[in-house]
Structures are given as C-alpha cells and as structure tokens.
Amino acid sequence: FGRITLNTYLAKNPSITLDAKNLLITKLDQITSSNGMGGNSLNPRFIITANVNIGSKDIIPGPPQMIAQNIDITFFVGDAVTNTIFSNTTLSLKGVGTNENKAFIDALKTINPKNKELLAFLEEGKTKIINYYSTNCDFIIKDAQTLVKQEKYDEAIYQLSLVPDVCKDCYFKCLDTLTQIYQQKIDADCKVKFNEAKVIWTAAQTPNGAEKAGDILSAINPMANCQKDVTTFIKAIDAKLKADEKARWQFKMKQY
C-alpha cells in the first residue's frame, strides 16, 4: 500500500515458447521493480504487459549455421479493468542463436530495465495513474460508501487503502473516509457480538455461561461505541454470580 504498483501480465502467444515467455515475464518484473513500481496482488488493476512482433530473420553461414532474429516488443502500461492504455513504447531488438527460439531468447536478454525509453514510458504511465485517482476520487469514495451500506466493511476499507500517497489530495480524502468506515465496522461488529453474548447469558446464567459470554465480549474492539453498554453488562453478570463462583469470571475479565 502507499505506492503505485504495476502487475506483470502476459497474454498467451503460441509463437513464443515457454522458456521465452518466462524470460519476458522476468524482464517485465525487472523493469518495474528496478524503478520502484514492482507489482503485487494488492492492487491487480494496473498492469505492465508486452506484445511481441517477430520480424525478419537472417541466416548466418557456419559452421555452425546461426540465425539472426529481429523482433519488435511493444510495452504497455494500462488499466486492466477499463482496458485503457496509459503509455506504450517499442524496442527493436536483435538476437543470434543456433535456432529461432535461441535467437529470440538472446534478443530478450538485451532488454535493459534502465533503458531511457522504458524509464520515460513508466513515468508517463505513472502520471496517468495519478491522474486517474485525481479525477475519480469522488467515485472511489462513493463506491466505498456503497459497499458499507451492503455491510462489506473490509472490502470498502481495502478499496480506499489502494489509493497511493503520491495522490495527495485523494489520499487524504480516502484516509478520512476510511477512518469513519472503520469505526462503523467495529460498531457493527460490537452490536453483533454484544447481542450474541446476551443471548448466551440469558440462556445459561451460570459460571459456564458467563465464561462463554466473556469469550465473545473479549473479542469486541475497545474503541467501539457500545463499549459503555458492554461494561454495564459485565458488571451485571458479575453481580449475578455468587461470591464463590466469581474467580474464573474475574480472571477472564482481567485478561479482557
């Protein structure tokens, strides 16, 4: 969280062998990680990908006979949800090997993650992503509030947490909203647990019932708004138990 990250994605291409595909994926990972935009599954929305166009090939007489392969690789940074391309650049590469696949792999090995064209390409993509958050901030917050109405508190918090801190204005707006939603989450959780504890205690007003209710009450966040009612309820249970039955209950409440 707090960073703009790009996740590596590579579409299926029957003309590329598995070894070549794995090398290209590694190169894409190196491009992002070496420039502070290494991706992960936290936010799979923004991706870096590549499209390979295999060009002409030249036969170099031997022995051994060698093949010189020309390829163009177009790199893209985009939004996987809306299928929007933010930036792209093309590198023309050449590799030599004893067969076409080895020549192709040799060409991929020449990709430099610090290539100036790639750096400019990533910077443009980063700027476009920041602009996305800046222009869609109100929609992001509105979507989170809609999730709250559906009692999907964790999902709402997650979506707001994805806004990177480089998007300053949107970041702080989402942080304020996130704080409010978290309070709503623990308040709703408290209500559920409190009611569950009351049902258990009503059904069995015994040391065992008190212990079960205590286990539930101890899982309530102390910052929840119903904490005052929880404290009153605990005192009521305490008063109900006989003096010689209080030991285990009081120990559990000391832990709480």
Side-chain angles (χ1 to χ4, degrees), residues 169-203:
D169 291 339
C170 186
Y171 175 77
F172 284 120
K173 283 183 181 179
C174 289
L175 199 61
D176 289 340
T177 306
L178 188 152
T179 305
Q180 296 168 10
I181 291 175
Y182 181 71
Q183 186 64 52
Q184 290 176 273
K185 167 185 163 64
I186 62 175
D187 289 345
D189 182 68
C190 182
K191 184 177 180 181
V192 171
K193 286 185 169 62
F194 187 29
N195 287 336
E196 186 179 349
K198 286 194 291 186
V199 168
I200 289 175
W201 173 243
T202 300

PDB file of all heavy atoms in Angstrom, residues 169-203:
ATOM      1  N   ASP A 169      -4.144  14.728  -2.475  1.00  0.00           N
ATOM      2  CA  ASP A 169      -5.494  15.177  -2.106  1.00  0.00           C
ATOM      3  C   ASP A 169      -6.450  14.002  -1.961  1.00  0.00           C
ATOM      4  O   ASP A 169      -7.194  13.896  -0.986  1.00  0.00           O
ATOM      5  CB  ASP A 169      -6.032  16.163  -3.150  1.00  0.00           C
ATOM      6  CG  ASP A 169      -5.280  17.486  -3.122  1.00  0.00           C
ATOM      7  OD1 ASP A 169      -4.662  17.784  -2.081  1.00  0.00           O
ATOM      8  OD2 ASP A 169      -5.294  18.209  -4.137  1.00  0.00           O
ATOM      9  N   CYS A 170      -6.427  13.096  -2.950  1.00  0.00           N
ATOM     10  CA  CYS A 170      -7.321  11.941  -2.904  1.00  0.00           C
ATOM     11  C   CYS A 170      -6.943  11.016  -1.750  1.00  0.00           C
ATOM     12  O   CYS A 170      -7.816  10.443  -1.091  1.00  0.00           O
ATOM     13  CB  CYS A 170      -7.274  11.187  -4.227  1.00  0.00           C
ATOM     14  SG  CYS A 170      -8.457   9.831  -4.352  1.00  0.00           S
ATOM     15  N   TYR A 171      -5.655  10.881  -1.512  1.00  0.00           N
ATOM     16  CA  TYR A 171      -5.175  10.017  -0.435  1.00  0.00           C
ATOM     17  C   TYR A 171      -5.746  10.454   0.916  1.00  0.00           C
ATOM     18  O   TYR A 171      -6.251   9.634   1.680  1.00  0.00           O
ATOM     19  CB  TYR A 171      -3.646  10.035  -0.407  1.00  0.00           C
ATOM     20  CG  TYR A 171      -3.027   9.280   0.744  1.00  0.00           C
ATOM     21  CD1 TYR A 171      -2.958   7.892   0.727  1.00  0.00           C
ATOM     22  CD2 TYR A 171      -2.518   9.954   1.853  1.00  0.00           C
ATOM     23  CE1 TYR A 171      -2.393   7.187   1.787  1.00  0.00           C
ATOM     24  CE2 TYR A 171      -1.952   9.260   2.913  1.00  0.00           C
ATOM     25  CZ  TYR A 171      -1.889   7.884   2.867  1.00  0.00           C
ATOM     26  OH  TYR A 171      -1.328   7.203   3.920  1.00  0.00           O
ATOM     27  N   PHE A 172      -5.683  11.752   1.195  1.00  0.00           N
ATOM     28  CA  PHE A 172      -6.168  12.243   2.484  1.00  0.00           C
ATOM     29  C   PHE A 172      -7.690  12.171   2.581  1.00  0.00           C
ATOM     30  O   PHE A 172      -8.247  11.892   3.652  1.00  0.00           O
ATOM     31  CB  PHE A 172      -5.688  13.674   2.732  1.00  0.00           C
ATOM     32  CG  PHE A 172      -4.240  13.755   3.127  1.00  0.00           C
ATOM     33  CD1 PHE A 172      -3.331  14.458   2.367  1.00  0.00           C
ATOM     34  CD2 PHE A 172      -3.781  13.103   4.268  1.00  0.00           C
ATOM     35  CE1 PHE A 172      -1.989  14.513   2.734  1.00  0.00           C
ATOM     36  CE2 PHE A 172      -2.449  13.160   4.646  1.00  0.00           C
ATOM     37  CZ  PHE A 172      -1.551  13.873   3.869  1.00  0.00           C
ATOM     38  N   LYS A 173      -8.384  12.403   1.478  1.00  0.00           N
ATOM     39  CA  LYS A 173      -9.844  12.265   1.476  1.00  0.00           C
ATOM     40  C   LYS A 173     -10.238  10.825   1.801  1.00  0.00           C
ATOM     41  O   LYS A 173     -11.144  10.571   2.609  1.00  0.00           O
ATOM     42  CB  LYS A 173     -10.417  12.654   0.108  1.00  0.00           C
ATOM     43  CG  LYS A 173     -10.487  14.140  -0.159  1.00  0.00           C
ATOM     44  CD  LYS A 173     -11.133  14.387  -1.519  1.00  0.00           C
ATOM     45  CE  LYS A 173     -11.202  15.873  -1.843  1.00  0.00           C
ATOM     46  NZ  LYS A 173     -11.811  16.097  -3.177  1.00  0.00           N
ATOM     47  N   CYS A 174      -9.549   9.884   1.156  1.00  0.00           N
ATOM     48  CA  CYS A 174      -9.852   8.472   1.375  1.00  0.00           C
ATOM     49  C   CYS A 174      -9.471   8.033   2.780  1.00  0.00           C
ATOM     50  O   CYS A 174     -10.139   7.192   3.383  1.00  0.00           O
ATOM     51  CB  CYS A 174      -9.126   7.618   0.340  1.00  0.00           C
ATOM     52  SG  CYS A 174      -9.795   7.769  -1.330  1.00  0.00           S
ATOM     53  N   LEU A 175      -8.403   8.618   3.306  1.00  0.00           N
ATOM     54  CA  LEU A 175      -7.967   8.280   4.667  1.00  0.00           C
ATOM     55  C   LEU A 175      -9.022   8.704   5.685  1.00  0.00           C
ATOM     56  O   LEU A 175      -9.332   7.959   6.625  1.00  0.00           O
ATOM     57  CB  LEU A 175      -6.635   8.965   4.969  1.00  0.00           C
ATOM     58  CG  LEU A 175      -5.809   8.399   6.124  1.00  0.00           C
ATOM     59  CD1 LEU A 175      -5.427   6.950   5.861  1.00  0.00           C
ATOM     60  CD2 LEU A 175      -4.561   9.245   6.354  1.00  0.00           C
ATOM     61  N   ASP A 176      -9.587   9.886   5.494  1.00  0.00           N
ATOM     62  CA  ASP A 176     -10.656  10.360   6.389  1.00  0.00           C
ATOM     63  C   ASP A 176     -11.877   9.453   6.295  1.00  0.00           C
ATOM     64  O   ASP A 176     -12.482   9.087   7.309  1.00  0.00           O
ATOM     65  CB  ASP A 176     -11.046  11.799   6.036  1.00  0.00           C
ATOM     66  CG  ASP A 176      -9.967  12.811   6.404  1.00  0.00           C
ATOM     67  OD1 ASP A 176      -9.110  12.474   7.256  1.00  0.00           O
ATOM     68  OD2 ASP A 176      -9.963  13.910   5.829  1.00  0.00           O
ATOM     69  N   THR A 177     -12.245   9.087   5.075  1.00  0.00           N
ATOM     70  CA  THR A 177     -13.400   8.213   4.875  1.00  0.00           C
ATOM     71  C   THR A 177     -13.136   6.823   5.446  1.00  0.00           C
ATOM     72  O   THR A 177     -14.015   6.212   6.061  1.00  0.00           O
ATOM     73  CB  THR A 177     -13.726   8.090   3.369  1.00  0.00           C
ATOM     74  OG1 THR A 177     -13.886   9.390   2.808  1.00  0.00           O
ATOM     75  CG2 THR A 177     -15.002   7.292   3.158  1.00  0.00           C
ATOM     76  N   LEU A 178     -11.915   6.346   5.261  1.00  0.00           N
ATOM     77  CA  LEU A 178     -11.523   5.029   5.773  1.00  0.00           C
ATOM     78  C   LEU A 178     -11.665   4.977   7.294  1.00  0.00           C
ATOM     79  O   LEU A 178     -12.162   3.994   7.858  1.00  0.00           O
ATOM     80  CB  LEU A 178     -10.088   4.726   5.361  1.00  0.00           C
ATOM     81  CG  LEU A 178      -9.529   3.326   5.633  1.00  0.00           C
ATOM     82  CD1 LEU A 178      -8.450   3.003   4.603  1.00  0.00           C
ATOM     83  CD2 LEU A 178      -8.938   3.223   7.028  1.00  0.00           C
ATOM     84  N   THR A 179     -11.239   6.054   7.968  1.00  0.00           N
ATOM     85  CA  THR A 179     -11.348   6.119   9.433  1.00  0.00           C
ATOM     86  C   THR A 179     -12.801   6.013   9.882  1.00  0.00           C
ATOM     87  O   THR A 179     -13.124   5.305  10.840  1.00  0.00           O
ATOM     88  CB  THR A 179     -10.736   7.434   9.949  1.00  0.00           C
ATOM     89  OG1 THR A 179      -9.397   7.545   9.480  1.00  0.00           O
ATOM     90  CG2 THR A 179     -10.740   7.480  11.471  1.00  0.00           C
ATOM     91  N   GLN A 180     -13.683   6.712   9.177  1.00  0.00           N
ATOM     92  CA  GLN A 180     -15.107   6.671   9.513  1.00  0.00           C
ATOM     93  C   GLN A 180     -15.680   5.268   9.295  1.00  0.00           C
ATOM     94  O   GLN A 180     -16.457   4.766  10.121  1.00  0.00           O
ATOM     95  CB  GLN A 180     -15.866   7.681   8.649  1.00  0.00           C
ATOM     96  CG  GLN A 180     -15.472   9.139   8.894  1.00  0.00           C
ATOM     97  CD  GLN A 180     -16.026  10.069   7.839  1.00  0.00           C
ATOM     98  OE1 GLN A 180     -16.860   9.683   7.018  1.00  0.00           O
ATOM     99  NE2 GLN A 180     -15.561  11.310   7.829  1.00  0.00           N
ATOM    100  N   ILE A 181     -15.280   4.653   8.191  1.00  0.00           N
ATOM    101  CA  ILE A 181     -15.795   3.319   7.873  1.00  0.00           C
ATOM    102  C   ILE A 181     -15.295   2.293   8.883  1.00  0.00           C
ATOM    103  O   ILE A 181     -16.034   1.386   9.290  1.00  0.00           O
ATOM    104  CB  ILE A 181     -15.395   2.914   6.433  1.00  0.00           C
ATOM    105  CG1 ILE A 181     -16.152   3.790   5.429  1.00  0.00           C
ATOM    106  CG2 ILE A 181     -15.693   1.435   6.176  1.00  0.00           C
ATOM    107  CD1 ILE A 181     -15.749   3.559   3.986  1.00  0.00           C
ATOM    108  N   TYR A 182     -14.037   2.437   9.297  1.00  0.00           N
ATOM    109  CA  TYR A 182     -13.500   1.503  10.286  1.00  0.00           C
ATOM    110  C   TYR A 182     -14.291   1.597  11.593  1.00  0.00           C
ATOM    111  O   TYR A 182     -14.583   0.580  12.217  1.00  0.00           O
ATOM    112  CB  TYR A 182     -12.019   1.791  10.553  1.00  0.00           C
ATOM    113  CG  TYR A 182     -11.426   0.832  11.552  1.00  0.00           C
ATOM    114  CD1 TYR A 182     -11.193  -0.499  11.217  1.00  0.00           C
ATOM    115  CD2 TYR A 182     -11.131   1.237  12.855  1.00  0.00           C
ATOM    116  CE1 TYR A 182     -10.676  -1.395  12.131  1.00  0.00           C
ATOM    117  CE2 TYR A 182     -10.611   0.350  13.781  1.00  0.00           C
ATOM    118  CZ  TYR A 182     -10.385  -0.958  13.414  1.00  0.00           C
ATOM    119  OH  TYR A 182      -9.874  -1.847  14.333  1.00  0.00           O
ATOM    120  N   GLN A 183     -14.652   2.830  11.986  1.00  0.00           N
ATOM    121  CA  GLN A 183     -15.451   2.997  13.201  1.00  0.00           C
ATOM    122  C   GLN A 183     -16.817   2.334  13.027  1.00  0.00           C
ATOM    123  O   GLN A 183     -17.323   1.672  13.937  1.00  0.00           O
ATOM    124  CB  GLN A 183     -15.621   4.483  13.517  1.00  0.00           C
ATOM    125  CG  GLN A 183     -16.325   4.750  14.850  1.00  0.00           C
ATOM    126  CD  GLN A 183     -15.534   4.240  16.044  1.00  0.00           C
ATOM    127  OE1 GLN A 183     -14.361   4.542  16.192  1.00  0.00           O
ATOM    128  NE2 GLN A 183     -16.175   3.452  16.896  1.00  0.00           N
ATOM    129  N   GLN A 184     -17.414   2.504  11.855  1.00  0.00           N
ATOM    130  CA  GLN A 184     -18.694   1.857  11.575  1.00  0.00           C
ATOM    131  C   GLN A 184     -18.556   0.338  11.626  1.00  0.00           C
ATOM    132  O   GLN A 184     -19.460  -0.362  12.101  1.00  0.00           O
ATOM    133  CB  GLN A 184     -19.206   2.288  10.193  1.00  0.00           C
ATOM    134  CG  GLN A 184     -19.654   3.736  10.102  1.00  0.00           C
ATOM    135  CD  GLN A 184     -20.044   4.113   8.688  1.00  0.00           C
ATOM    136  OE1 GLN A 184     -19.231   4.519   7.865  1.00  0.00           O
ATOM    137  NE2 GLN A 184     -21.308   3.949   8.371  1.00  0.00           N
ATOM    138  N   LYS A 185     -17.432  -0.165  11.134  1.00  0.00           N
ATOM    139  CA  LYS A 185     -17.184  -1.611  11.126  1.00  0.00           C
ATOM    140  C   LYS A 185     -17.129  -2.171  12.543  1.00  0.00           C
ATOM    141  O   LYS A 185     -17.794  -3.162  12.854  1.00  0.00           O
ATOM    142  CB  LYS A 185     -15.870  -1.901  10.389  1.00  0.00           C
ATOM    143  CG  LYS A 185     -15.338  -3.321  10.583  1.00  0.00           C
ATOM    144  CD  LYS A 185     -13.972  -3.471   9.924  1.00  0.00           C
ATOM    145  CE  LYS A 185     -13.241  -4.706  10.434  1.00  0.00           C
ATOM    146  NZ  LYS A 185     -13.917  -5.959  10.088  1.00  0.00           N
ATOM    147  N   ILE A 186     -16.335  -1.533  13.421  1.00  0.00           N
ATOM    148  CA  ILE A 186     -16.194  -2.066  14.774  1.00  0.00           C
ATOM    149  C   ILE A 186     -17.470  -1.848  15.592  1.00  0.00           C
ATOM    150  O   ILE A 186     -17.768  -2.632  16.495  1.00  0.00           O
ATOM    151  CB  ILE A 186     -14.964  -1.480  15.502  1.00  0.00           C
ATOM    152  CG1 ILE A 186     -15.068   0.034  15.684  1.00  0.00           C
ATOM    153  CG2 ILE A 186     -13.691  -1.844  14.762  1.00  0.00           C
ATOM    154  CD1 ILE A 186     -13.926   0.627  16.516  1.00  0.00           C
ATOM    155  N   ASP A 187     -18.233  -0.791  15.258  1.00  0.00           N
ATOM    156  CA  ASP A 187     -19.510  -0.577  15.941  1.00  0.00           C
ATOM    157  C   ASP A 187     -20.510  -1.671  15.562  1.00  0.00           C
ATOM    158  O   ASP A 187     -21.234  -2.196  16.416  1.00  0.00           O
ATOM    159  CB  ASP A 187     -20.085   0.801  15.593  1.00  0.00           C
ATOM    160  CG  ASP A 187     -19.308   1.937  16.227  1.00  0.00           C
ATOM    161  OD1 ASP A 187     -18.513   1.672  17.154  1.00  0.00           O
ATOM    162  OD2 ASP A 187     -19.476   3.098  15.802  1.00  0.00           O
ATOM    163  N   ALA A 188     -20.556  -2.000  14.273  1.00  0.00           N
ATOM    164  CA  ALA A 188     -21.466  -3.053  13.811  1.00  0.00           C
ATOM    165  C   ALA A 188     -21.052  -4.400  14.384  1.00  0.00           C
ATOM    166  O   ALA A 188     -21.899  -5.202  14.801  1.00  0.00           O
ATOM    167  CB  ALA A 188     -21.460  -3.102  12.279  1.00  0.00           C
ATOM    168  N   ASP A 189     -19.745  -4.651  14.427  1.00  0.00           N
ATOM    169  CA  ASP A 189     -19.230  -5.896  14.981  1.00  0.00           C
ATOM    170  C   ASP A 189     -19.563  -6.004  16.470  1.00  0.00           C
ATOM    171  O   ASP A 189     -19.924  -7.072  16.967  1.00  0.00           O
ATOM    172  CB  ASP A 189     -17.715  -5.960  14.780  1.00  0.00           C
ATOM    173  CG  ASP A 189     -17.122  -7.256  15.291  1.00  0.00           C
ATOM    174  OD1 ASP A 189     -17.406  -8.310  14.701  1.00  0.00           O
ATOM    175  OD2 ASP A 189     -16.361  -7.211  16.286  1.00  0.00           O
ATOM    176  N   CYS A 190     -19.456  -4.877  17.169  1.00  0.00           N
ATOM    177  CA  CYS A 190     -19.776  -4.845  18.606  1.00  0.00           C
ATOM    178  C   CYS A 190     -21.246  -5.187  18.844  1.00  0.00           C
ATOM    179  O   CYS A 190     -21.569  -5.960  19.750  1.00  0.00           O
ATOM    180  CB  CYS A 190     -19.458  -3.452  19.172  1.00  0.00           C
ATOM    181  SG  CYS A 190     -19.761  -3.306  20.949  1.00  0.00           S
ATOM    182  N   LYS A 191     -22.105  -4.621  18.026  1.00  0.00           N
ATOM    183  CA  LYS A 191     -23.543  -4.870  18.175  1.00  0.00           C
ATOM    184  C   LYS A 191     -23.864  -6.356  18.042  1.00  0.00           C
ATOM    185  O   LYS A 191     -24.629  -6.921  18.831  1.00  0.00           O
ATOM    186  CB  LYS A 191     -24.308  -4.056  17.129  1.00  0.00           C
ATOM    187  CG  LYS A 191     -25.821  -4.158  17.263  1.00  0.00           C
ATOM    188  CD  LYS A 191     -26.510  -3.261  16.237  1.00  0.00           C
ATOM    189  CE  LYS A 191     -28.023  -3.359  16.359  1.00  0.00           C
ATOM    190  NZ  LYS A 191     -28.702  -2.502  15.347  1.00  0.00           N
ATOM    191  N   VAL A 192     -23.249  -6.987  17.040  1.00  0.00           N
ATOM    192  CA  VAL A 192     -23.494  -8.410  16.797  1.00  0.00           C
ATOM    193  C   VAL A 192     -22.977  -9.252  17.964  1.00  0.00           C
ATOM    194  O   VAL A 192     -23.691 -10.126  18.479  1.00  0.00           O
ATOM    195  CB  VAL A 192     -22.819  -8.858  15.477  1.00  0.00           C
ATOM    196  CG1 VAL A 192     -22.882 -10.374  15.330  1.00  0.00           C
ATOM    197  CG2 VAL A 192     -23.485  -8.185  14.283  1.00  0.00           C
ATOM    198  N   LYS A 193     -21.749  -9.003  18.375  1.00  0.00           N
ATOM    199  CA  LYS A 193     -21.141  -9.799  19.457  1.00  0.00           C
ATOM    200  C   LYS A 193     -21.852  -9.557  20.792  1.00  0.00           C
ATOM    201  O   LYS A 193     -22.018 -10.478  21.592  1.00  0.00           O
ATOM    202  CB  LYS A 193     -19.649  -9.460  19.578  1.00  0.00           C
ATOM    203  CG  LYS A 193     -18.790 -10.050  18.456  1.00  0.00           C
ATOM    204  CD  LYS A 193     -17.322  -9.781  18.700  1.00  0.00           C
ATOM    205  CE  LYS A 193     -16.426 -10.571  17.746  1.00  0.00           C
ATOM    206  NZ  LYS A 193     -16.616 -10.235  16.349  1.00  0.00           N
ATOM    207  N   PHE A 194     -22.237  -8.305  21.024  1.00  0.00           N
ATOM    208  CA  PHE A 194     -22.921  -7.969  22.275  1.00  0.00           C
ATOM    209  C   PHE A 194     -24.249  -8.725  22.366  1.00  0.00           C
ATOM    210  O   PHE A 194     -24.588  -9.307  23.408  1.00  0.00           O
ATOM    211  CB  PHE A 194     -23.145  -6.460  22.339  1.00  0.00           C
ATOM    212  CG  PHE A 194     -23.689  -5.967  23.654  1.00  0.00           C
ATOM    213  CD1 PHE A 194     -23.417  -6.630  24.845  1.00  0.00           C
ATOM    214  CD2 PHE A 194     -24.475  -4.833  23.707  1.00  0.00           C
ATOM    215  CE1 PHE A 194     -23.910  -6.175  26.065  1.00  0.00           C
ATOM    216  CE2 PHE A 194     -24.978  -4.368  24.920  1.00  0.00           C
ATOM    217  CZ  PHE A 194     -24.704  -5.041  26.095  1.00  0.00           C
ATOM    218  N   ASN A 195     -25.000  -8.723  21.280  1.00  0.00           N
ATOM    219  CA  ASN A 195     -26.282  -9.434  21.259  1.00  0.00           C
ATOM    220  C   ASN A 195     -26.078 -10.937  21.438  1.00  0.00           C
ATOM    221  O   ASN A 195     -26.853 -11.609  22.133  1.00  0.00           O
ATOM    222  CB  ASN A 195     -27.021  -9.160  19.950  1.00  0.00           C
ATOM    223  CG  ASN A 195     -27.586  -7.752  19.885  1.00  0.00           C
ATOM    224  OD1 ASN A 195     -27.836  -7.125  20.917  1.00  0.00           O
ATOM    225  ND2 ASN A 195     -27.772  -7.236  18.676  1.00  0.00           N
ATOM    226  N   GLU A 196     -25.035 -11.470  20.821  1.00  0.00           N
ATOM    227  CA  GLU A 196     -24.739 -12.900  20.941  1.00  0.00           C
ATOM    228  C   GLU A 196     -24.399 -13.252  22.388  1.00  0.00           C
ATOM    229  O   GLU A 196     -24.856 -14.285  22.920  1.00  0.00           O
ATOM    230  CB  GLU A 196     -23.567 -13.244  20.022  1.00  0.00           C
ATOM    231  CG  GLU A 196     -23.269 -14.740  19.947  1.00  0.00           C
ATOM    232  CD  GLU A 196     -22.117 -15.058  19.008  1.00  0.00           C
ATOM    233  OE1 GLU A 196     -21.685 -14.149  18.262  1.00  0.00           O
ATOM    234  OE2 GLU A 196     -21.639 -16.211  19.044  1.00  0.00           O
ATOM    235  N   ALA A 197     -23.619 -12.394  23.038  1.00  0.00           N
ATOM    236  CA  ALA A 197     -23.243 -12.637  24.434  1.00  0.00           C
ATOM    237  C   ALA A 197     -24.469 -12.585  25.348  1.00  0.00           C
ATOM    238  O   ALA A 197     -24.607 -13.397  26.282  1.00  0.00           O
ATOM    239  CB  ALA A 197     -22.212 -11.612  24.881  1.00  0.00           C
ATOM    240  N   LYS A 198     -25.376 -11.657  25.069  1.00  0.00           N
ATOM    241  CA  LYS A 198     -26.590 -11.529  25.898  1.00  0.00           C
ATOM    242  C   LYS A 198     -27.480 -12.757  25.748  1.00  0.00           C
ATOM    243  O   LYS A 198     -28.074 -13.217  26.737  1.00  0.00           O
ATOM    244  CB  LYS A 198     -27.353 -10.257  25.510  1.00  0.00           C
ATOM    245  CG  LYS A 198     -26.695  -8.974  26.006  1.00  0.00           C
ATOM    246  CD  LYS A 198     -27.613  -7.764  25.909  1.00  0.00           C
ATOM    247  CE  LYS A 198     -27.879  -7.372  24.487  1.00  0.00           C
ATOM    248  NZ  LYS A 198     -28.660  -6.090  24.411  1.00  0.00           N
ATOM    249  N   VAL A 199     -27.562 -13.288  24.537  1.00  0.00           N
ATOM    250  CA  VAL A 199     -28.377 -14.489  24.301  1.00  0.00           C
ATOM    251  C   VAL A 199     -27.807 -15.671  25.088  1.00  0.00           C
ATOM    252  O   VAL A 199     -28.548 -16.435  25.726  1.00  0.00           O
ATOM    253  CB  VAL A 199     -28.430 -14.826  22.798  1.00  0.00           C
ATOM    254  CG1 VAL A 199     -29.026 -16.213  22.579  1.00  0.00           C
ATOM    255  CG2 VAL A 199     -29.246 -13.777  22.048  1.00  0.00           C
ATOM    256  N   ILE A 200     -26.496 -15.824  25.043  1.00  0.00           N
ATOM    257  CA  ILE A 200     -25.835 -16.921  25.756  1.00  0.00           C
ATOM    258  C   ILE A 200     -26.041 -16.790  27.263  1.00  0.00           C
ATOM    259  O   ILE A 200     -26.357 -17.768  27.951  1.00  0.00           O
ATOM    260  CB  ILE A 200     -24.331 -16.954  25.410  1.00  0.00           C
ATOM    261  CG1 ILE A 200     -24.141 -17.427  23.969  1.00  0.00           C
ATOM    262  CG2 ILE A 200     -23.568 -17.864  26.375  1.00  0.00           C
ATOM    263  CD1 ILE A 200     -22.720 -17.398  23.486  1.00  0.00           C
ATOM    264  N   TRP A 201     -25.873 -15.585  27.793  1.00  0.00           N
ATOM    265  CA  TRP A 201     -26.023 -15.384  29.238  1.00  0.00           C
ATOM    266  C   TRP A 201     -27.472 -15.572  29.688  1.00  0.00           C
ATOM    267  O   TRP A 201     -27.738 -16.133  30.750  1.00  0.00           O
ATOM    268  CB  TRP A 201     -25.527 -13.982  29.611  1.00  0.00           C
ATOM    269  CG  TRP A 201     -25.774 -13.593  31.032  1.00  0.00           C
ATOM    270  CD1 TRP A 201     -26.551 -12.584  31.499  1.00  0.00           C
ATOM    271  CD2 TRP A 201     -25.243 -14.229  32.203  1.00  0.00           C
ATOM    272  NE1 TRP A 201     -26.541 -12.530  32.862  1.00  0.00           N
ATOM    273  CE2 TRP A 201     -25.747 -13.535  33.329  1.00  0.00           C
ATOM    274  CE3 TRP A 201     -24.404 -15.316  32.417  1.00  0.00           C
ATOM    275  CZ2 TRP A 201     -25.426 -13.886  34.640  1.00  0.00           C
ATOM    276  CZ3 TRP A 201     -24.088 -15.671  33.727  1.00  0.00           C
ATOM    277  CH2 TRP A 201     -24.588 -14.963  34.807  1.00  0.00           C
ATOM    278  N   THR A 202     -28.419 -15.139  28.852  1.00  0.00           N
ATOM    279  CA  THR A 202     -29.834 -15.294  29.189  1.00  0.00           C
ATOM    280  C   THR A 202     -30.208 -16.782  29.243  1.00  0.00           C
ATOM    281  O   THR A 202     -30.988 -17.211  30.091  1.00  0.00           O
ATOM    282  CB  THR A 202     -30.725 -14.583  28.144  1.00  0.00           C
ATOM    283  OG1 THR A 202     -30.399 -13.190  28.123  1.00  0.00           O
ATOM    284  CG2 THR A 202     -32.197 -14.747  28.489  1.00  0.00           C
ATOM    285  N   ALA A 203     -29.610 -17.561  28.363  1.00  0.00           N
ATOM    286  CA  ALA A 203     -29.916 -18.993  28.289  1.00  0.00           C
ATOM    287  C   ALA A 203     -29.269 -19.774  29.428  1.00  0.00           C
ATOM    288  O   ALA A 203     -29.803 -20.810  29.854  1.00  0.00           O
ATOM    289  CB  ALA A 203     -29.455 -19.563  26.951  1.00  0.00           C
TER     290      ALA A 203
END
